[in-house]
């Protein structure tokens, strides 16, 4: 078998010699051929002799200085093409770097610390099928008077709650009923605890502690075909028209739109990865760097029910489930407008074979009728001067459905130089079955809102943490807080008593840069202290923060230990290639020993250095009846906005798009 694998590896490398020599961008995600090549190389090695599972595969990015050197002079050697694989074999976690240029394993080590890699689609499928053949569970279903054929189960990670010894790689299973509806999440089977050993793939613990009514299915089906009168008013069709085609170009994974250039990659953990975003400065006649790399680093979703069947529900959607792994194909004309261009994504399945996610990204120009800027001048006698620029932007979108929630992720590029990051939360609330049918019956804390009969929507949080390696016109940057300070007027000639002014503080160490929003008024900027505008101002980009909720859990609570960074919404660290995932590389059952807050305790210098900005958008979610049985999208976002980066408004000389000749529409001024 080993000889055969070596033979096929040799044939594969011969077949793909043209592929390895083809031009590619060093940050391109692994292609299907490369994913297969990685699988062949690893399976032919000693580690591939045993029951090997691929938990993560992605590019092992070149060292930043090497890549920047190559970008500045393409005559330099192309950075080596490597893949990072995290695999499981014989209950051990393997970190393997494969050199795709040489067709061999470059490094291999066995991880010895706490925590496990993210779950695969295949092992989740195997685990959630186990209860359906487990006699005690069959008895529990029968006791509740339910039809086993309509029972569906899902996998829930178990977290960590102070265990001293290394625990088994395990998961818990929650089951639901779909009798009368396809909205299975609103009909949970409460009182049952099922624990599965993922390495052995068997049920190790089973408890059925109590029975409460399964919530009714009436009115819970969200499909349009199942709705009954009376209906709400219907809008007339709305179309997006671009008679001359789109204004952006997609070349592989590189995208060019008006004054923006950037690279778009897909990662099975992060989802969309934006790299090398630069903007053209007409005054300087060149592209200037803004964002070296940006992506979602973690999404922490802790639920606030401490009871036996719920306390462990403190999920890390990127590190445990894979935010990109949970990406769903986007539907034209519904998820994305008619003018959208779609891009597929690929990841390695549990067996190492490439898996395609069709239409994982859509890219489109957005023109919603908003104004980029305008002014009407009425002060000139006998004359009115009016000038308006419509707001047109470019959007990259992905949707990740992690269990019950659908997370809509947008990266929006604006001609003004801003990058806006948006999130939309929709899907199905995670609900708890209870005996109550009216709020007046509730006498104790039920940890949520009564949404329907026998149905509690449990309180919870959403903390979206973004990794933002800003390179503002170069890699050496500083983090500056501009505080608004009230001052008294001492000049007796003024009738004013007070005013506010700006006091700038440059953070010198990581401790200086930890920000709890809302404590004081401040603008937060990443500046380049080595470059100034013609007028002498430090060039920079301002972080306009998103929803500012911070964790309310106690510091000694185990989920909070694992996500200690969630009490500050802004962190700044010096660039470190290994520090990318805010909750640590191995998040499943992690113990808080490797995360953003721990790294920052080193209190490294960050002034005039290559730095990374981390921003957490936080939502405290108190469910309400309007969010049942399906939740209207709840949106938030943040903005990276130029601050003295340009000499003047960069959209001043960008001419508005030409008019569209509508056969049934006349305009006059």
């Amino acid at each position: 078998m080993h000889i055969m694998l070596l033979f096929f590896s040799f044939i594969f490398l011969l077949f793909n010699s043209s592929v390895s020599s083809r031009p590619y961008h060093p940050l391109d995600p692994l292609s299907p051929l490369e994913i297969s090549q990685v699988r062949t190389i690893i399976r032919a090695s000693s580690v591939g002799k045993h029951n090997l599972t691929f938990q993560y595969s992605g590019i092992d990015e070149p060292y930043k200085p090497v890549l920047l050197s190559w970008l500045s002079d393409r005559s330099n050697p192309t950075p080596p093409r490597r893949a990072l694989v995290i695999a499981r074999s014989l209950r051990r976690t393997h970190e393997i770097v494969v050199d795709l240029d040489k067709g061999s394993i470059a490094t291999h080590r066995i991880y010895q610390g706490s925590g496990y890699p993210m779950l695969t689609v295949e092992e989740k499928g195997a685990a959630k099928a186990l209860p359906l053949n487990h006699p005690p569970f069959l008895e529990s279903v029968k006791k509740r008077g339910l039809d086993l054929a309509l029972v569906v189960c899902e996998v829930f990670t178990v977290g960590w709650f102070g265990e001293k010894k290394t625990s088994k790689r395990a998961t818990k299973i929650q089951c639901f009923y779909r009798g009368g509806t396809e909205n299975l999440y609103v009909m949970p089977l409460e009182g049952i605890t099922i624990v599965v050993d993922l390495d052995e793939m068997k049920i190790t613990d089973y408890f059925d502690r109590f029975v409460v009514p399964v919530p009714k299915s009436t009115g819970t089906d969200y499909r349009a075909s199942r709705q009954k009168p009376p209906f709400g008013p219907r809008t007339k069709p709305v179309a997006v028209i671009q008679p001359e085609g789109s204004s952006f170009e997609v070349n592989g994974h590189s995208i060019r739109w008006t004054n923006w250039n950037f690279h778009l990659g897909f990662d099975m953990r992060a989802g969309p990865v934006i790299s090398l975003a630069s903007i053209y400065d007409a005054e300087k006649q060149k592209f200037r760097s803004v964002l070296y790399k940006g992506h979602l680093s973690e999404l922490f979703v802790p639920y606030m029910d401490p009871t036996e069947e719920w306390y462990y529900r403190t999920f890390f959607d990127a590190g445990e489930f894979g935010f990109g792994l949970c990406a769903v194909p986007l539907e034209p004309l519904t998820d994305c407008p008619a003018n959208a261009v779609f891009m597929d994504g690929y990841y390695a399945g549990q067996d190492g074979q490439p898996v395609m996610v069709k239409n994982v990204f859509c890219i489109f120009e957005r023109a919603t009728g908003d104004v980029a800027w305008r002014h009407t001048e009425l002060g000139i006698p006998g004359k009115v001067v009016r000038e308006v620029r419509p707001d047109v932007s470019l959007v990259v979108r992905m949707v990740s459905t992690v269990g019950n929630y659908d997370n809509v992720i947008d990266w929006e590029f604006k001609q003004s130089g801003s990058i806006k990051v948006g999130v939309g939360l929709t899907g199905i609330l995670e609900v708890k079955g209870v005996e109550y049918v009216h709020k007046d019956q509730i006498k104790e804390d039920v940890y949520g809102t009564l949404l329907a009969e026998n149905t509690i929507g449990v309180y919870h949080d959403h903390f979206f943490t973004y990794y933002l390696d800003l390179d503002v016109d170069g890699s050496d940057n500083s983090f500056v807080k501009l505080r608004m300070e009230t001052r008294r007027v001492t000049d007796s000639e003024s009738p004013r008593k007070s005013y506010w002014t700006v006091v700038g503080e440059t953070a010198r160490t990581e401790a200086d840069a930890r920000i709890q929003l809302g404590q004081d008024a401040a603008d937060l900027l990443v500046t380049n202290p080595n470059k100034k505008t013609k007028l002498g101002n430090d060039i920079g980009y301002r972080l306009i923060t998103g929803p500012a909720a911070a964790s309310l859990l106690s510091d000694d609570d185990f989920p909070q230990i694992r996500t200690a960074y969630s009490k500050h919404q802004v962190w700044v660290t010096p660039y470190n290639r290994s520090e990318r995932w805010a909750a640590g590389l191995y998040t499943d059952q992690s113990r808080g020993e490797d995360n953003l807050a721990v790294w920052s305790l080193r209190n490294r210098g960050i002034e005039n250095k290559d730095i990374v900005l981390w921003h957490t958008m936080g939502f405290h979610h108190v469910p309400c009846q309007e969010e049942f049985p399906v939740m209207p999208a709840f949106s938030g976002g943040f903005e990276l906005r130029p601050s003295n980066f340009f000499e003047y408004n960069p959209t001043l000389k960008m001419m508005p798009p030409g008019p569209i000749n509508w056969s049934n529409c006349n305009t006059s001024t």
Side-chain angles (χ1 to χ4, degrees), residues 444-456:
E444 75 281 359
D445 193 344
V446 292
Y447 318 110
T449 306
L450 188 67
L451 302 176
E453 291 184 2
N454 309 118
T455 306
I456 291 288

Side-chain angles (χ1 to χ4, degrees), residues 292-307:
Y292 179 77
K293 184 167 66 177
H295 60 78
L296 179 74
S297 179
E298 192 53 79
L299 171 51
F300 177 48
V301 187
Y303 283 81
M304 298 299 124
D305 186 332
T307 59

Side-chain angles (χ1 to χ4, degrees), residues 285-297:
Q285 295 286 293
K286 67 176 184 178
F287 279 92
R288 301 168 65 192
S289 62
V290 176
L291 181 69
Y292 179 77
K293 184 167 66 177
H295 60 78
L296 179 74
S297 179

